[in-house]
Amino acid sequence: MTATTTAPGALDPKGATSAAAAGAPAIDPAHLAASLPLDEKVALLTGAATWTLRSIPEIGMRTMTVSDGPIGVRGTGEDGLASAQLPAPSATAATWDVDLQARLGSLMAAEARRKGVDVILAPVVNLQRSPVGGRHFECLSEDPLLTARLAVAFIDAIQAGGIAACVKHFIGNETETDRTSYLSRIDERTLREVYLAPFEAVVDAGVWTIMAAYNGLTRDGVEATSTAHEPLLSGILKGEWQFDGVVISDWLATKTAVEPAIAGLDLVMPGPGGPWADGLLSAVESGLVPESAIDDKVARIIRLADRVGALSGIVGETLPFDGTGATDDPAGDDVVALLTDAAARSTVVLRNHGGLLPVDPALRGRIALIGHNAVQPFTQGGGSAFVTPPHVSMPIDALRTAFPDAAVDLLRGGATTLRAPLAPAELLTTPTGEPGVLVEHLDETGEVIGSHLLPDAEALWFPIDDDDVASVRLTTDLRLTRPGRHLIDLGPVGAHRVLVDGVERSASQHVVGAEVILDSSYANPEHVETAIDADESRDVRIEVDAQVIDGESYGRFVRLHFRHLEPSPSVEEEIEQAVAAARQADLAVVVVGTNSETESEGWDRPDLQLPGRQNELVRRVAEANPATVVVVNAGAPVLLPWLDEVAAVLWWWLPGQEAGKSLAAVLTGAIEPSGRLPWTLPASEADVPVPHGIPVDGVIDYAERLDVGHRGWDRLERTPAREFGYGLGYAEWAYRGLELVDAASGTDFAEHDAFVTARVTVENTSARDGREVVQVYLSVDIAPDATASDAARPVRWLAGFAVVDVAAGGTATLDIPIARRSFETWATDAATWTLPEATYRVQAGRSSRDLRLEAVQTVAG
Ligand code: BGC
């Protein structure tokens, strides 16, 4: 560990003002750490609560607060404040725009200050190794270079705002299936060149904290969980890369006291309790863990406190949180404008036959807006990244505003979710006639020892603080107001008994614990569905006994889904209505997509299908009206079998709170949808190089080695529906020239100095102003024998990119520096980077398979 001293009032390397304000003494974290008693030092290494760290008043250090990202800053969940909800990272990555990432990072910093947060648990720089990965939407890209560059810009901006970023999940955490137990087997070269690459870039750029993942890694013969992997944490991260920040365990990931402490983990989250609270002090006292290791961890936490302004530097006096002055409003005009721009710019034009798009805002006549996702846009994926936005801009409202002379009709076209909606509050009454659900608290013997009321079914996650309460009994009368078939869907987590109108529908003695928080049963509980045919309005008595779950540091709580589907038209009837409306319309806009049952942390998708009958809906609408635009509202790839049959297709992602506004801006062309796919869109499941990440005997073998994402498609010579980097935008482009020039001095990257610069000239040949994403790829053209035998080298790899705005008919020349690292490979035997002697082909173009220009770069041995 290297102790650093911050000069009074100095800027730290990333530009945030140190807490050591002018005149205050310089902070020496190592010295301060060593000055503390052992028990206090050890106590600091476990969180104080789910989202907070302990304070140390003796050295003027206040509590620090952490919060999830990367979709927004949720906060501790206790402030009741809404959070600005960004488009998903896979969306913003589609802009390929580092300046936009920086603006979003600045917004995250402002949100963190507003919510009293010091550390944002974002970004995710794991790669989209398989399209079915549950957290695919939370990752940026399948490509390591694109991921690294965007993450560096995002982190730089967050930390320039005095807030720490926590890059995650270190490492090999590309799968959700069995996520707390699998081991990723990644060979050393692949680890270095692909999966470590984005982490190395952000560490090089100065990230302040990093999260050790749930899964384990096998490397150099060492098999260990990420939180206890010494060669990874102490060897590479803190040794080779000289990381001087804090290694934080993923929530509940740390299982033992000694191994993680020696391996290089610094902070166990959440707290209180856990393996370090229980066993670390005695392990140090008995000599199993050296005190110097503890001092190093404490010094890192003190350094973090200094960086985020949580250290007054004055003994006995702690600083208040200084974020009170930041009053940014997540619904304010500037935030709305930024998030609209980000979602619109992310949108990828996959097809635009006959120039149907953009649509003239002066359009008269009718627009049929169709789809379950049009009625209820899926703005964010599920899991820990979830935030509550101040509002969601709805497509119907935005289209009505954007097309003032048209009549816009909204039709669902058939439900796509398997599950019913949450039971509405106004239909629930307790046995004593109050609105809501009665919750009786039962002790071990089943005796009622207390009660409370729940106003609605939204809150069917609730804490139970009293340790004597072993289970609860929920009772409510659900009013069936309409004749027809009602579906009642109840999903309690853990031991339970469910009665509907006095009839037992489900029972289980299986008591569960904190482990459910990390698996899919928490967010997506198994459920029991009861169909009731009602002739007239009547009440149905619902009674559910449910265990109280001991969530360890998450506290004790009850978890239950309570859903109710009223009699409604069949999917077929709704599709027919939608088709009829499309036939009468001048324009049909069909929003298809995934939903909260499909994309979430906690599970991987079983396939790449759009849920429900959406493919049929698209085909029938497009047949009824050739002027059909299909909008895909999904974060991760889904198969679009009609892609080349309909007039226009937009990939609209999980667009965040400004969903509707962004869609309207894209349809009218007010903002050009200049997105380019940051991953490959398959045409069929059979083609996908890595179709799943299901562990075999607990191990996920990264057998495709360096060929992640588009590299795998190139290696296997398979043709996707749309390749990596694809996106039409609204302008047209000619590539006029590519020249290789010496790297400009002073240009550098997080991942090392520029080696050569690709100077690319493009012309906007259209009558519209437009934005182009110029992409530069490398491949080995001619290699001497040694390199020629390097069969593992990808067929082609991304080496640089730049975004440029060019006026209609205009020309622009861009300098795209290519880092030395882009030419290098990892020599496993020598354990070092080498620059293989070869003649490289440098290609520039519009996507990984639309390469328009070529030059040659020779690298001498
Ligand atoms: C997730 C992390 C997240 C943490 C805290 C974990 O389950 O893997 O990404 O930051 O929970 O919510």
Side-chain angles (χ1 to χ4, degrees):
M1 204 264 326
T2 41
T4 55
T5 306
T6 313
L11 286 182
D12 89 348
K14 300 320 309 168
T17 311
S18 164
I27 300 300
D28 179 348
H31 179 75
L32 283 175
S35 72
L36 295 168
L38 179 62
D39 58 345
E40 187 144 0
K41 288 188 287 194
V42 169
L44 180 69
L45 305 180
T46 295
T50 314
W51 307 114
T52 49
L53 274 63
R54 294 169 69 101
S55 62
I56 318 178
E58 296 94 297
I59 60 166
M61 190 174 105
R62 65 164 169 79
T63 293
M64 287 182 274
T65 299
V66 307
S67 162
D68 269 311
I71 314 286
V73 181
R74 191 173 59 244
T76 61
E78 285 160 14
D79 56 17
L81 298 175
S83 308
Q85 186 195 61
L86 281 59
S90 62
T92 64
T95 65
W96 297 53
D97 184 346
V98 289
D99 295 335
L100 179 81
Q101 286 293 327
R103 281 187 283 143
L104 294 171
S106 300
L107 172 61
M108 293 287 279
E111 285 286 278
R113 285 196 298 276
R114 185 172 65 85
K115 292 187 142 252
V117 165
D118 300 286
V119 182
I120 304 174
L121 305 174
V124 178
V125 300
N126 300 109
L127 300 183
Q128 293 155 341
R129 176 172 175 256
S130 168
V132 299
R135 299 183 84 167
H136 193 287
F137 69 90
E138 254 190 275
C139 303
L140 290 154
S141 168
E142 66 186 20
D143 187 88
L145 182 101
L146 182 57
T147 299
R149 296 275 167 84
L150 297 174
V152 165
F154 191 64
I155 290 169
D156 268 354
I158 291 174
Q159 296 192 165
I163 305 293
C166 180
V167 67
K168 63 191 187 182
H169 308 83
F170 197 55
I171 190 146
N173 188 188
E174 271 76 30
T175 294
E176 288 299 277
T177 307
D178 299 338
R179 68 172 172 153
T180 57
S181 61
Y182 67 78
L183 198 68
S184 293
R185 181 186 294 141
I186 313 176
D187 69 87
E188 184 65 16
R189 179 172 174 191
T190 303
L191 197 59
R192 297 283 184 162
E193 293 187 24
V194 179
Y195 295 95
L196 285 176
F199 285 98
E200 185 180 7
V202 301
V203 168
D204 215 15
V207 71
W208 292 340
T209 73
I210 188 167
M211 187 186 291
Y214 288 123
N215 59 282
L217 172 73
T218 158
R219 172 187 179 265
D220 273 356
V222 177
E223 284 189 4
T225 66
S226 303
T227 50
H229 205 294
E230 192 172 2
L232 181 69
L233 301 181
S234 295
I236 296 180
L237 178 63
K238 292 181 173 177
E240 275 179 49
W241 296 352
Q242 293 287 295
F243 174 65
D244 69 355
V246 180
V247 182
I248 305 175
S249 78
D250 200 344
W251 269 231
L252 303 176
T254 313
K255 301 291 178 213
T256 58
V258 175
E259 296 81 0
I262 293 172
L265 185 75
D266 298 314
L267 176 65
V268 167
M269 287 301 283
W276 280 6
D278 296 342
L280 188 52
L281 184 58
S282 56
V284 179
E285 284 167 347
S286 63
L288 287 172
V289 176
E291 187 164 351
S292 58
I294 304 297
D295 286 346
D296 176 52
K297 298 177 200 309
V298 172
R300 287 167 183 271
I301 293 175
I302 293 173
R303 185 178 305 122
L304 174 66
D306 186 32
R307 285 171 162 166
V308 301
L311 201 57
S312 70
I314 301 167
V315 172
E317 184 183 305
T318 58
L319 277 181
F321 180 76
D322 77 347
T324 44
T327 54
D328 312 60
D329 174 3
D333 290 349
D334 49 347
V335 177
V336 169
L338 172 59
L339 297 183
T340 305
D341 192 55
R345 286 296 188 185
S346 302
T347 303
V348 181
V349 184
L350 294 179
R351 179 171 163 86
N352 192 9
H353 186 66
L356 177 61
L357 294 171
V359 180
D360 186 351
L363 177 90
R364 292 176 180 280
R366 302 201 83 83
I367 298 175
L369 174 62
I370 297 167
H372 196 158
N373 289 45
V375 175
Q376 200 179 345
F378 183 37
T379 62
Q380 65 183 331
S384 57
F386 195 89
V387 295
T388 304
H391 59 240
V392 171
S393 160
M394 297 307 266
I396 181 66
D397 302 332
L399 262 60
R400 283 185 175 143
T401 307
F403 296 99
D405 300 327
V408 189
D409 302 313
L410 178 63
L411 297 108
R412 186 164 68 163
T416 62
T417 42
L418 295 172
R419 317 192 90 193
L422 293 176
E426 62 275 14
L427 298 181
L428 304 175
T429 313
T430 70
T432 50
E434 286 155 294
V437 181
L438 172 68
V439 184
E440 290 171 290
H441 303 174
L442 314 184
D443 68 9
E444 284 290 350
T445 67
E447 197 178 320
V448 178
I449 55 172
S451 69
H452 72 278
L453 265 182
L454 288 176
D456 54 40
E458 299 264 335
L460 287 182
W461 174 95
F462 50 86
I464 295 286
D465 296 329
D466 182 350
D467 287 350
D468 292 334
V469 182
S471 64
V472 295
R473 173 166 302 147
L474 298 106
T475 312
T476 189
D477 291 324
L478 171 69
R479 170 64 49 96
L480 310 184
T481 54
R482 300 193 2 216
R485 169 153 295 206
H486 292 254
L487 286 179
I488 299 168
D489 176 350
L490 296 156
V493 177
H496 68 268
R497 182 162 183 251
V498 172
L499 301 181
V500 177
D501 264 350
V503 178
E504 183 177 292
R505 304 292 313 172
S506 169
S508 165
Q509 304 289 333
H510 182 60
V511 176
V512 299
E515 72 284 352
V516 294
I517 298 170
L518 301 179
D519 69 31
S520 58
S521 68
Y522 180 77
N524 208 4
E526 282 179 27
H527 52 130
V528 47
E529 215 171 67
T530 308
I532 296 185
D533 292 311
D535 300 331
E536 54 188 19
S537 172
R538 73 171 179 92
D539 287 347
V540 175
R541 169 66 53 95
I542 313 277
E543 291 161 285
V544 180
D545 288 352
Q547 75 161 98
V548 176
I549 299 168
D550 181 359
E552 296 173 11
S553 331
Y554 282 89
R556 305 178 78 245
F557 60 86
V558 171
R559 182 80 178 99
L560 172 81
H561 270 186
F562 180 6
R563 299 166 173 276
H564 171 222
L565 183 65
E566 299 218 288
S568 46
S570 68
V571 171
E572 178 57 32
E573 283 167 312
E574 288 195 15
I575 292 179
E576 280 166 16
Q577 287 164 5
V579 170
R583 193 168 286 121
Q584 304 303 316
D586 301 275
L587 177 74
V589 178
V590 189
V591 185
V592 296
T594 54
N595 54 51
S596 58
E597 295 172 2
T598 330
E599 291 192 64
S600 175
E601 177 181 339
W603 66 85
D604 295 316
R605 286 185 298 161
D607 55 43
L608 299 178
Q609 298 298 324
L610 276 170
R613 287 167 60 181
Q614 297 187 86
N615 288 330
E616 182 189 340
L617 174 71
V618 168
R619 284 200 158 113
R620 286 169 65 179
V621 168
E623 203 176 274
N625 190 337
T628 291
V629 181
V630 184
V631 178
V632 186
N633 176 199
V638 284
L639 300 180
L640 310 177
W642 32 260
L643 174 56
D644 291 313
E645 295 165 21
V646 300
V649 182
L650 297 167
W651 195 284
W652 184 48
W653 304 104
L654 309 182
Q657 70 182 46
E658 302 309 330
K661 280 204 169 76
S662 71
L663 181 58
V666 161
L667 290 173
T668 58
I671 303 176
E672 187 194 9
S674 47
R676 306 288 187 265
L677 291 177
W679 42 250
T680 307
L681 180 65
S684 92
E685 310 233 7
D687 293 339
V688 177
V690 182
H692 64 76
I694 299 172
V696 177
D697 296 330
V699 174
I700 299 180
D701 193 5
Y702 285 47
E704 73 286 359
R705 305 195 62 202
L706 305 177
D707 290 330
V708 64
H710 56 98
R711 300 172 177 187
W713 288 82
D714 286 344
R715 172 81 65 197
L716 299 170
E717 296 180 355
R718 290 183 183 159
T719 306
R722 294 292 186 269
E723 70 272 13
F724 175 80
Y726 186 93
L728 296 171
Y730 287 161
E732 277 149 37
W733 300 91
Y735 276 62
R736 296 294 183 213
L738 166 63
E739 198 190 336
L740 298 181
V741 293
D742 285 345
S745 61
T747 312
D748 70 6
F749 295 101
E751 73 268 30
H752 302 292
D753 293 344
F755 187 73
V756 65
T757 294
R759 182 163 291 165
V760 185
T761 302
V762 292
E763 184 185 341
N764 177 351
T765 55
S766 72
R768 294 182 61 89
D769 297 352
R771 179 172 293 187
E772 177 66 329
V773 178
V774 178
Q775 304 164 36
V776 177
Y777 294 82
L778 291 183
S779 50
V780 174
D781 195 23
I782 309 162
D785 289 348
T787 315
S789 65
D790 181 6
R793 226 161 176 201
V795 174
R796 178 185 305 118
W797 61 98
L798 180 70
F801 57 91
V803 173
V804 63
D805 289 311
V806 186
T811 296
T813 297
L814 297 86
D815 277 352
I816 303 179
I818 304 175
R820 180 187 176 92
R821 179 58 59 82
S822 287
F823 292 92
E824 289 178 329
T825 60
W826 179 260
T828 302
D829 291 344
T832 187
W833 292 98
T834 57
L835 189 59
E837 184 183 340
T839 300
Y840 291 85
R841 188 183 303 192
V842 182
Q843 292 174 295
R846 304 207 65 206
S847 78
S848 62
R849 294 199 174 179
D850 183 3
L851 296 166
R852 308 273 179 97
L853 299 168
E854 200 169 303
V856 159
Q857 173 72 34
T858 302
V859 174

